Amino acid sequence: MPMKIKAAVFHGPNQPLTIETLELDDPGPGEVLVKIKATGLCHTDLHIIEGHQPQPVPAVLGHESAGVVVAVGPDVSDLREGDHVVPFLLPECGVCPNCQSGKTNICLKIGERTGTDFSRLSRNGQRIHTFVGMGTFADHMVIAADRVAKVSEHASFEGACYASCGGATGIGSVRRHDVDREALVAVFGLGGVGLNVVQGAALAGAQVIIGVDTNDAKEAVARKLGLTHFINPDKVESVAAEIMAITVMGATHSFECIGAPAVMREAIAATNAFYGRCTIIGVAPSGSELTTPVQQLSMGKTVGGLLMGGVKARSGLPSLVSEYAEGRVNFDDLISHRLKLDEINEGFAMMKQGLSTRTVILFD
Ligand code: NAD
Ligand code: ZN
Ligand code: ZN
């Protein structure tokens, strides 16, 4: 029997999300119904709201969440009613060559069950789209079970939720690229993701962690997590020159966590020419290009991207959530605002102005 749910619906670029009652079908084979308890606002959602990424409408956005399983479809044997879970952007089927490999978190089933054909949402008979088969800006969601991790019941829902994108992406990126005690790290953008790069680098014992952000207010929370130097790009002539002055040969590991090609160029320039690695985490507007002097790459520097910190849905996320539950990872100080679903547009307005670190929507 389809159920009525409450969701924030996206109707087109730069329009406010509207709170509506929708119908949600029962979970089909290989799917689960999750009651969402918390969902975070990630800048990837804002990119879509601002029209920087293609998205069919009307749609329910949102991909960072935690909740409780309330029903499972046929063929689901490893999840049951009452499980505390974290849905993830990527599947982990567990049997394909990529799932068997430690080198990548990109399951070969990526892209399956993400299109409108698989949306279980409708309104008056009209199918409603979702963001890549998720749609966490709603009090319930049906999702493929191979994208759902069972996590510790000792973790708060808001912390477990944040782990599923901001936490995994930030901390996972640091761990994937072997940041160690000799590392000289530069983090561009100290938002929900960048602060977790800082945290991950500090946990790894990096000797220098430089944060770059246009908002001075980000410095205090970043220092609490282990930041050693802060640069406001609006107050210096050249960010790359400042980073060179601190690190002598450039950052051994730099991370762009904004999504601005001009900042990516700066991050590459600030990376050690011989053995540095620049990781592009930020999502740039669809179709944009990155230019950088090729000469900079000829001596050994590497530049690359990373999706969801290289973290695997079901074998990687639960341990991160447990680290949080045990107090070894701090998400609580990074959650600056807790709102209700009806206040979601205010949450995105704050993100746009750089006034929040992570905003989490809490459901009853
Ligand atoms: P956010 O809005 O919380 O943080 C962005 C930060 O960048 C803010 O602190 C802001 O003040 C700062 N900033 C903006 N422009 C700047 C500039 N020109 N110079 C310096 N600082 C600047 O965003 P978020 O949720 O942390 O997401 C960051 C980026 O990461 C987004 O592009 C998002 O789409 C992307 N993302 C990628 C992945 C992935 O898997 N690769 C996962 C999650 C998010
Ligand atoms: Zn995200
Ligand atoms: Zn797989």
Side-chain angles (χ1 to χ4, degrees), residues 92-96 99 107-108:
E92 184 184 359
C93 75
V95 293
C96 78
C99 281
C107 169
L108 294 178

Side-chain angles (χ1 to χ4, degrees), residues 42-95:
C42 172
H43 209 113
T44 303
D45 303 304
L46 184 56
H47 289 321
I48 295 167
I49 292 169
E50 292 183 324
H52 297 154
Q53 306 292 337
Q55 171 66 52
V57 293
V60 179
L61 309 179
H63 58 279
E64 186 179 271
S65 71
V68 179
V69 173
V70 287
V72 301
D75 307 336
V76 176
S77 54
D78 49 358
L79 291 168
R80 61 176 61 173
E81 207 182 312
D83 283 349
H84 287 212
V85 291
V86 167
F88 196 54
L89 195 83
L90 305 170
E92 184 184 359
C93 75
V95 293

